[in-house]
Amino acid sequence: MAGYQALAAVGRSIVTLLNQSFREEIPAGDPRPEAVLAGPVDFDKVDTPGAVIRYPAVSVYCYRLSIDRETRPAWAAAAAQDGIPKLPLRMHLLISAWDRVVESELTWLGLTVRILESEPTLTWPGPLDGSGDWQPGDAVRIVPDDLAMDSMSEAFQAMTTDYRLCLPYLARVVRIDGRPGTTSGEVTVVGSRTDLSGAVR
């Protein structure tokens, strides 16, 4: 895996999984949240005309991307062999519930936890959105993120919205491949050389 649309495809896949499960879990006619991909600007427009987040809702917000250092060495070695750069990424997610009643928000968060814990692996072919240009057998795991309170507060300080109760999750590993033939197996080191007399050449 995967093409440059992989990150967006993972976001869409999580939203699709949640919405399908909401329909299965919640009886017809009862209030049912809609899962949406959202960003900071959407948090300031909740339940307004044209808003992405409309009550009731569950928002999935990717607030950070990071390199997956556990798998990067192996993928770098593979890239040196076939000439295709491979960058393994982690998507750091904050999942929040939106409703006019606090008890309902807690209910939606509890249901979201059950869904993600029951189906933590998105595979291709399967739940992964096809726009990611996946290969057969590709998989992305959705796991709880061990996020300190200080780190979560910092994430909200960067936004204009007030702090909200949320679930921190990780989507890993989302590997994006470069164009073929852009990686060289040779490394050239350029620098100065110092002889025994201390002179630099």
Side-chain angles (χ1 to χ4, degrees), residues 1-182:
M1 71 171 130
Y4 67 91
Q5 296 191 61
L7 296 172
V10 170
R12 285 191 289 269
S13 301
I14 295 172
V15 165
T16 298
L17 169 65
L18 291 177
N19 282 325
Q20 288 178 344
S21 299
F22 290 159
R23 288 192 291 269
E24 295 170 358
E25 294 271 0
I26 301 173
D30 288 357
R32 177 189 300 154
E34 179 184 6
V36 296
L37 277 177
V41 66
D42 299 311
F43 298 157
D44 295 326
K45 301 178 181 179
V46 175
D47 217 36
T48 61
V52 171
I53 302 173
R54 304 293 298 270
Y55 296 133
V58 170
S59 63
V60 179
Y61 167 41
C62 180
Y63 71 96
R64 180 187 173 210
L65 296 172
S66 65
I67 306 298
D68 188 81
R69 301 192 181 280
E70 294 178 9
T71 61
R72 189 178 189 185
W75 288 122
Q81 294 296 320
D82 63 15
I84 302 176
K86 298 169 174 58
L87 185 63
L89 297 173
R90 294 184 174 195
M91 297 175 66
H92 298 255
L93 310 171
L94 293 179
I95 300 177
S96 299
W98 305 80
D99 207 310
R100 293 183 175 85
V101 181
V102 173
E103 287 87 348
S104 296
E105 292 183 342
L106 294 174
T107 298
W108 308 143
L109 286 176
L111 180 54
T112 298
V113 168
R114 183 163 77 169
I115 293 167
L116 295 179
E117 291 301 303
S118 298
E119 301 183 57
T121 304
L122 306 175
T123 59
W124 179 261
L128 280 173
D129 187 277
S131 61
D133 194 21
W134 313 102
Q135 299 298 317
D138 283 345
V140 175
R141 286 187 59 81
I142 312 300
V143 297
D145 192 4
D146 186 14
L147 187 63
M149 186 63 190
D150 289 346
S151 298
M152 189 175 295
S153 297
E154 289 174 2
F156 276 91
Q157 287 173 6
M159 302 183 291
T160 57
T161 188
D162 293 331
Y163 174 82
R164 289 193 65 82
L165 180 65
C166 55
L167 297 167
Y169 269 83
L170 276 178
R172 66 180 189 191
V173 172
V174 186
R175 200 192 82 219
I176 296 182
D177 292 348
R179 294 189 297 271
T182 55

